[in-house]
């Protein structure tokens, strides 16, 4: 399944609800080339209600994946299956410049520059020009527009809401990237996301007119990526310097001005129009973006127009379908339907004036207890920090360790990396790919490996609800001079789960993240680690809202490879891992400490009544 399906889901996979007197029966399709201020024309499809009884607002999606509308000229409302369509909107879909039928050139996630460079064009100015054209050329509009989208279209919605056209009244960025080096898409804490980064950059940039699959010679790619060897082989053997984004990976191996300038943190400062951030706890592509951008913009939200919705979803799962499960995990309610009802209320209010406009600051599904919760701030401020410590004999406890010397060790071998999910590793968007649900996969498939450490708490005597940001404090050492650390917080189901027997013993990863050791002191100035020196690595595992049920266990799990999701660390410090030699990849002995002086723990924000 390709990312284009995310756009399709937004358009054709909503569940229809019947409106009252002003319901719409038909939409007419019009295709136009809208001129931008620099003369470039963008291909745009407009779906206008045929039988609208009053002027209606525009609702836009802009995309690099091709416009998700077929060849018909008239659509029945029910054929769109869009909860927003029945009440009436003028839907607008646009290919961004340089993609599909639009003119111009495109490169992934370029920063906004119009404010600092006179006469410059970017995704904000293109959005402005599009809205302006629509107001002047499309009949029966009410003078208001909104913009939304999932994934890349989510980032386009965010970018379009910066210095917006006066008619642009509301935006919803969904599954939007925030920083491509620190925690979304291509890197997490400086560690390169190999399989996704390679396959996605090829897909988007190899051919303007379509999405291109990399021509892998086999189905299971674990061995293919392993035999690929050093990352410098990608250009030497396959890309030949023709993929701009890959070339940027190679040229910018640290958090330099390139990555900082490209981050929305540098050019999106405050919500200029009402903003609804939407994200999933199990988003396999942009888990960090919605929460990071919400928090960043919340600091300057002086008009109370910055809101967030978080659910138990993978990337874009809320856009279509029930959302009642992910993989083997049941959420016991149709969370996707719940969200789409909320989304309709959101746009109906800001674009049509329907409703009272009273929206909760944060609407966040709570996994484990499987219920929606609302909060006046996110993360909520009334949680109490508790520390879950690693302990001797592979135990975990809320009691701080007291031993003078205590650690466990393992050998990390780049030639035998730990897979991030069970084999086969299919192409990211290939046939049969299990990429979408991998973040809820049962971790028992690695728990017995000699290069994975697990620390398990005794079974809980009562429920514990953890709501907010999870921070791991890992005290570790390596015999090398670089290394990766993957830390997981896992909900271990009872040995006999009376609620669902086949879930007995399931190891559900609730929060997990990677950290590249060379960035321990600075993401901008990587430095070699001191061999065999105990060092504290502080790792943000992101925000969750989860109830660990009575009878379950909390587990801390640590490993040093996550392949091929994350490229192999040579474990020998080199200036640029993208240019490492085969001889640079070495075995290393890793130590994880749990002593009084070096207490490894995960900080948990625990809610009251636990």
């Amino acid at each position: 399944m390709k990312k284009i399906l995310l756009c399709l889901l937004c358009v054709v996979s909503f569940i229809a609800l019947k409106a009252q007197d002003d319901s719409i029966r038909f939409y007419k399709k019009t295709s136009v080339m809208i001129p931008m201020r620099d003369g470039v024309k963008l291909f745009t499809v407009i779906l206008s209600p045929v039988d609208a009884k009053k002027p209606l607002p525009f609702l836009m999606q802009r995309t690099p994946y091709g416009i998700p509308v077929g060849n018909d000229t008239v659509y029945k409302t029910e054929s769109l299956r869009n909860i927003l369509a029945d009440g009436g909107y003028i839907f607008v879909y646009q290919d961004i410049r340089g993609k599909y039928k639009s003119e111009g050139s495109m490169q992934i996630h370029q920063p906004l520059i119009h404010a600092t460079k006179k006469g410059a064009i970017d995704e904000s100015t293109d959005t402005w020009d599009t809205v302006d054209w629509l107001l002047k050329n499309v009949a029966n509009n009410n003078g208001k527009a909104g913009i939304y989208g999932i994934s890349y279209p989510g980032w386009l919605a965010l970018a379009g809401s910066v210095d917006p056209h006066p008619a642009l009244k509301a935006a919803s960025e969904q599954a939007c990237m925030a920083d491509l080096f620190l925690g979304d898409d291509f890197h997490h804490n400086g560690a390169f996301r190999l399989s996704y980064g390679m396959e996605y950059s090829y897909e988007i940039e190899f051919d303007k007119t379509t999405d291109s699959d990399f021509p892998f010679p086999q189905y299971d790619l674990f061995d293919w990526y392993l035999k690929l060897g050093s990352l410098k082989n990608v250009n030497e053997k396959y890309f030949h310097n023709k993929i701009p984004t890959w070339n940027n990976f190679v040229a910018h191996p640290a958090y330099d001005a390139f990555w900082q300038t490209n981050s929305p943190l540098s050019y999106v400062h405050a919500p200029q129009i009402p903003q609804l951030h939407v994200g999933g706890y199990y988003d396999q592509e942009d888990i960090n973006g919605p929460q990071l951008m919400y928090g960043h913009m919340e600091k300057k939200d002086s008009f109370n127009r910055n809101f967030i919705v978080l659910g138990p979803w993978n990337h874009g799962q809320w856009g279509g379908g029930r959302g009642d499960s992910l993989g083997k995990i049941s959420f016991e309610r149709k969370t996707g339907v719940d969200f789409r009802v909320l989304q309709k209320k959101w746009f109906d209010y800001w674009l049509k004036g329907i409703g009272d406009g009273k929206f909760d600051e944060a609407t966040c599904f709570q996994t484990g207890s499987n219920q929606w919760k609302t909060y006046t701030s996110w993360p909520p401020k009334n949680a109490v920090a508790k520390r879950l410590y690693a302990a001797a004999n592979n135990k975990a406890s809320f009691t701080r360790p007291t031993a003078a010397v205590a650690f466990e060790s393992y050998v990390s071998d780049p030639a035998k990396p730990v897979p991030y999910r069970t084999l086969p590793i299919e192409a990211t968007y290939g046939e049969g790919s299990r990429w979408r649900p991998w973040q809820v996969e049962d971790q028992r498939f690695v728990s017995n490996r000699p290069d994975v450490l697990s620390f398990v708490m005794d079974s809980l005597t009562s429920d514990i609800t953890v709501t907010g940001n999870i921070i791991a404090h890992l005290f570790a050492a390596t015999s090398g001079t670089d290394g990766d650390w993957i830390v997981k917080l896992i909900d271990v189901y009872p040995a006999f789960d009376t609620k669902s027997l086949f879930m007995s013993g399931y190891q559900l990863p609730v929060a997990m993240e990677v950290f590249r050791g060379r960035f321990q002191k600075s993401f901008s100035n990587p430095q070699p680690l001191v061999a065999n020196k105990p060092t504290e690595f502080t790792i943000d595992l992101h925000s969750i809202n989860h109830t660990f049920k009575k009878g379950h266990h909390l587990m801390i799990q640590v490993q040093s490879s996550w392949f091929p999701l994350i490229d192999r660390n040579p474990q020998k410090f080199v200036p640029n891992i993208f240019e490492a030699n085969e001889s640079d990849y070495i075995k290393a002995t890793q130590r994880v400490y749990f002593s009084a002086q070096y207490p490894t723990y995960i900080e948990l924000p625990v809610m009251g009544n636990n």
Side-chain angles (χ1 to χ4, degrees):
M1 301 287 286
K2 292 183 176 294
K3 269 198 167 185
I4 187 173
L5 292 181
L6 292 174
C7 296
L8 286 166
L9 288 172
C10 292
V11 181
V12 301
S13 297
F14 287 102
I15 293 179
L17 296 181
K18 209 64 182 166
Q20 301 297 321
D21 298 332
D22 58 349
S23 62
I24 302 299
R25 292 180 297 168
F26 298 100
Y27 278 79
K28 180 181 179 181
K29 173 186 171 184
T30 304
S31 299
V32 295
M33 295 294 289
I34 297 182
M36 301 294 103
R37 63 190 64 183
D38 63 344
V40 169
K41 296 179 180 179
L42 304 187
F43 179 71
T44 308
V45 167
I46 303 166
L47 297 183
S48 301
V50 173
D51 44 2
K53 297 178 177 63
K54 57 187 176 182
L56 295 171
F58 298 103
L59 194 54
M60 299 174 56
Q61 288 188 35
R62 308 183 64 245
T63 177
Y65 303 123
I67 291 175
V69 177
N71 296 321
D72 294 338
T73 56
V74 176
Y75 293 83
K76 288 186 177 180
T77 299
E78 57 264 31
S79 70
L80 295 176
R81 297 177 60 207
N82 187 333
I83 189 174
L84 294 160
D86 193 72
Y89 281 87
I90 304 172
F91 294 101
V92 179
Y93 307 100
Q94 185 175 76
D95 289 335
I96 62 173
R97 60 174 61 221
K99 291 299 295 183
Y100 287 82
K101 297 181 180 180
S102 286
E103 300 173 352
S105 60
M106 179 262 191
Q107 190 173 335
I108 293 174
H109 290 138
Q110 292 301 289
L112 302 184
I113 57 174
H114 67 272
T116 57
K117 187 176 179 180
K118 185 177 180 180
I121 52 93
D122 54 31
E123 299 299 355
S124 172
T125 64
D126 282 355
T127 304
W128 202 103
D129 293 348
T130 300
V131 172
D132 196 61
W133 189 94
L134 292 168
L135 290 170
K136 297 173 180 176
N137 292 278
V138 178
N140 205 32
N141 73 78
N142 72 353
K144 296 181 179 181
I147 187 169
Y148 74 135
I150 296 174
S151 192
Y152 203 116
W155 173 73
L156 292 167
L158 180 70
S161 67
V162 176
D163 301 330
H165 191 286
L168 192 63
K169 300 297 185 182
S172 179
E173 61 87 357
Q174 304 178 13
C176 170
M177 51 72 67
D179 195 293
L180 294 176
F181 194 84
L182 299 181
D184 283 310
D185 283 322
F186 302 136
H187 302 79
H188 279 215
N189 293 315
F192 180 58
R193 304 230 304 170
L194 171 59
S195 55
Y196 178 80
M198 178 179 167
E199 294 172 43
Y200 181 70
S201 59
Y202 182 90
E203 173 188 327
I204 294 299
E205 294 181 339
F206 180 75
D207 187 340
K208 168 188 172 178
T209 62
T210 186
D211 291 337
S212 303
D213 293 328
F214 184 82
F216 289 112
Q218 61 196 70
Y219 183 73
D220 185 353
L221 300 179
F222 187 87
D223 288 341
W224 187 91
Y225 275 110
L226 193 58
K227 292 175 182 177
L228 173 67
S230 170
L231 295 183
K232 67 181 181 180
N233 291 327
V234 173
N235 260 334
E236 291 181 4
K237 295 182 178 181
Y238 302 108
F239 285 3
H240 307 297
N241 299 304
K242 294 180 180 179
I243 306 299
T245 293
W246 185 270
N247 295 338
N248 286 331
F249 296 153
V250 178
H252 304 281
Y255 194 52
D256 58 11
F258 171 82
W259 293 112
Q260 295 170 30
T261 302
N262 271 272
S263 172
L265 297 173
S266 72
Y267 55 78
V268 181
H269 304 294
Q272 295 174 269
I273 57 177
Q275 186 77 41
L276 183 66
H277 306 264
V278 183
Y281 301 128
Y282 305 111
D283 190 323
Q284 75 280 8
E285 292 167 26
D286 296 295
I287 193 171
N288 197 43
Q291 296 194 47
L292 186 61
M293 289 312 302
Y294 165 80
H296 174 70
M297 297 170 72
E298 183 66 12
K299 296 173 184 177
K300 296 185 178 180
D301 181 25
S302 56
F303 296 96
N304 190 32
R305 51 191 175 193
N306 192 50
F307 304 87
I308 189 167
V309 177
L310 298 173
W313 305 310
N314 62 13
H315 192 65
Q317 188 181 6
W318 56 90
R322 298 187 302 269
D324 56 354
S325 64
L326 181 60
K328 294 184 178 180
I329 308 303
S330 172
F331 305 123
E332 301 176 343
R333 66 174 299 137
K334 298 175 182 178
T335 64
V337 177
D338 295 338
F339 167 74
R340 293 191 291 277
V341 171
L342 186 153
Q343 178 177 249
K344 184 177 188 302
K345 291 179 179 178
W346 168 265
F347 282 117
D348 279 353
Y349 176 74
W350 297 113
L351 303 184
K352 298 181 180 180
I354 299 173
D356 58 13
K358 294 180 180 179
F359 298 102
D360 291 299
E361 180 73 16
T363 304
C364 306
F365 192 79
Q366 189 174 92
T367 51
S369 66
N370 291 335
Q371 56 187 320
W372 284 103
K373 297 284 188 177
T374 59
Y375 304 93
T376 57
S377 65
W378 184 260
K381 298 177 180 178
N382 57 334
V384 176
K386 296 189 71 172
R387 294 180 175 183
L388 178 67
Y389 293 96
N393 301 315
N394 300 107
K395 296 288 188 179
S397 170
F398 287 125
T399 302
R400 183 185 176 97
T402 58
V405 179
F407 62 84
E408 289 281 353
S409 64
Y410 60 90
V411 174
S412 175
D413 184 355
K416 300 176 181 179
V418 181
Y420 78 98
R421 57 183 168 94
T422 56
L423 304 186
I425 303 294
E426 311 89 1
T428 302
Y429 302 119
E431 183 177 354
S433 175
R434 294 166 296 135
W435 168 246
R436 294 184 180 279
W438 79 265
Q439 289 199 146
V440 297
E441 186 165 346
D442 189 345
Q443 296 300 293
R444 283 179 289 188
F445 80 101
V446 296
S447 61
N448 290 324
R449 282 183 61 119
D451 50 1
V452 176
L453 294 181
S454 299
F455 303 89
V456 187
M457 189 176 177
D458 291 339
S459 61
L460 296 172
T461 57
S462 61
D463 293 355
I464 293 180
T465 297
V466 178
T467 306
N469 209 30
I470 311 299
I471 304 293
H473 297 262
L474 175 70
F475 285 87
T478 177
S479 63
T481 49
D482 196 4
D484 289 347
W485 304 101
I486 294 93
V487 178
K488 308 172 191 175
L489 174 65
I490 295 174
D491 183 347
V492 182
Y493 286 52
F496 282 98
D497 189 343
T498 55
K499 188 174 182 179
S500 177
L501 188 62
F502 79 92
M503 293 296 293
S504 298
Y506 199 95
Q507 295 181 4
L508 170 65
V510 176
M512 50 187 177
E513 192 53 282
V514 60
F515 191 95
R516 183 140 285 177
R518 60 175 49 218
F519 299 113
Q520 188 262 341
K521 293 183 179 180
S522 169
F523 286 109
S524 300
N525 183 29
Q527 300 176 27
L529 298 173
V530 178
N532 299 313
K533 178 183 179 180
T535 303
E536 181 179 8
F537 298 92
T538 302
I539 308 173
D540 187 344
L541 303 188
H542 313 300
S543 294
I544 66 170
N545 191 6
H546 182 75
T547 296
F548 294 85
K549 303 295 288 185
K550 178 182 177 181
H552 288 223
H553 305 256
L554 280 74
M555 174 191 282
I556 300 172
Q557 198 169 80
V558 182
Q559 59 198 61
S560 290
S561 54
W562 222 10
F563 191 75
L565 174 72
I566 302 298
D567 68 309
R568 299 173 304 141
N569 192 313
Q571 303 184 147
K572 169 187 174 183
F573 184 86
V574 294
N576 187 343
I577 292 179
F578 287 90
E579 298 175 344
N581 296 315
E582 303 296 340
S583 59
D584 293 324
Y585 291 82
I586 62 172
K587 294 181 182 180
T589 299
Q590 319 288 62
R591 287 183 175 183
V592 174
Y593 292 83
F594 39 87
S595 63
Q597 184 179 7
Y598 304 122
T600 290
Y601 65 92
I602 296 179
E603 187 172 318
L604 305 176
V606 176
M607 300 298 283
N609 300 321
N610 290 135

